[in-house]
Amino acid sequence: MHVAILGATKGMGRSLARLMAARGDRLVLLGRDAEQLERSAADLQARSGTDAPVLTAICDLADPSSFAPALSAATEGFGKLDCVVVTAGLFATQDQLEADPELALRLATIDFANTVGFCERARAVLLGGGGGKLCVFSSVAGDRGRKPVVIYGAAKAGLSAYLEGLDHKFRAQGLQTICVKPGFVKTGMTANLQPPPFAGEPDAVAARVLRAIDRGSPVVYAPWIWRWIMLVIRCLPRFVMRRIGF
């Protein structure tokens, strides 16, 4: 499988890229830091056990002008893309976002508007090649409006709704959309936060996501228990949600 991954140098994206490289998938890494991309490419090529190069291209979710050139480079490198994975995004706590309106706007723009813009480019590339898989990391934060993640959750809710709409409209044309909804995962992004019960590890989450990609599952919660946690949260009445801190 020929795969382009945006956000493969850190956290869950790095774990997923390593699993894909180890089983022989051909990878092109997309990201904003050329040095990090080259280091990750060398690591992944060593793990693949083959002479096939791991390609790289500059792509920054904060810069929509980088989207088309990056995807063009990926397509030219392989001739055809079978899968595009988006793990990149921006995170900040609710307190940080309330204290900094510019950061709040930047997060909402990157995590929703610009991610949708990149996915629209990727959708066109995949459908132009006869179909493929678009796997995008959203979050359980988008399943319900909650006090600790008002702004971040709103951005992820919009992204999840967009991915569901893509699945409804384009699956019959050959586009398999996989919306990943991680719960709390122990990565660099969450390093300064207190892990809750059921916090996940990047490698375990990546393994679950890879199975979902292979199956074409439209939605995957990782760790799996978050599917049931969020089912309960979605059923709680609004007056209860106003009283609890979850």
Side-chain angles (χ1 to χ4, degrees):
M1 185 161 63
H2 295 165
V3 186
I5 306 180
L6 176 56
T9 61
K10 297 178 181 178
M12 291 178 284
R14 178 171 54 196
S15 294
L16 181 58
R18 286 175 173 174
L19 289 178
M20 288 181 154
R23 73 177 192 176
D25 290 338
R26 295 287 308 279
L27 303 178
V28 54
L29 310 183
L30 310 181
R32 63 184 182 180
D33 187 313
E35 185 176 342
Q36 284 187 355
L37 288 174
E38 291 303 325
R39 284 200 303 267
S40 294
D43 171 68
L44 293 170
Q45 186 166 348
R47 291 171 185 273
S48 72
T50 71
D51 294 330
V54 175
L55 307 179
T56 65
I58 295 296
C59 186
D60 185 353
L61 269 182
D63 179 13
S65 68
S66 69
F67 299 168
L71 288 167
S72 293
T75 305
E76 290 168 7
F78 291 145
K80 178 183 182 295
L81 281 176
D82 302 305
C83 179
V84 177
V85 180
V86 183
T87 72
L90 181 62
F91 176 78
T93 66
Q94 181 63 23
D95 288 344
Q96 291 171 327
L97 295 171
E98 289 178 3
D100 189 342
E102 290 186 4
L103 176 60
L105 180 58
R106 182 166 176 260
L107 181 143
T109 301
I110 289 174
D111 286 358
F112 175 63
N114 287 5
T115 301
V116 168
F118 178 84
C119 289
E120 282 294 286
R121 297 275 189 179
R123 171 188 61 78
V125 168
L126 291 168
L127 287 173
K133 301 184 179 188
L134 177 61
C135 174
V136 184
F137 279 57
S138 184
S139 172
V140 298
D143 276 16
R144 181 81 193 264
R146 296 188 285 122
K147 293 177 183 178
V149 286
V150 175
I151 297 170
Y152 179 75
K156 292 300 188 179
L159 180 59
S160 295
Y162 162 76
L163 294 169
E164 182 179 1
L166 279 191
D167 182 65
H168 294 166
K169 184 170 184 179
F170 293 107
R171 183 159 287 238
Q173 298 178 35
L175 181 71
Q176 296 183 15
T177 303
I178 298 97
C179 176
V180 182
K181 295 185 176 184
F184 191 103
V185 181
K186 298 175 184 177
T187 66
M189 185 178 73
T190 60
N192 296 322
L193 303 178
Q194 179 64 35
F198 315 118
E201 297 289 346
D203 289 349
V205 169
R208 182 167 173 80
V209 171
L210 187 54
R211 288 194 296 271
I213 291 173
D214 290 342
R215 296 169 180 167
S217 305
V219 179
V220 56
Y221 287 81
W224 63 268
I225 197 169
W226 284 94
R227 174 182 293 275
W228 308 113
I229 293 172
M230 296 315 297
L231 176 62
V232 172
I233 294 299
R234 289 196 302 272
C235 292
L236 293 177
R238 188 174 291 239
F239 76 87
V240 173
M241 293 299 296
R242 291 193 189 109
R243 295 177 181 175
I244 64 176
F246 183 81

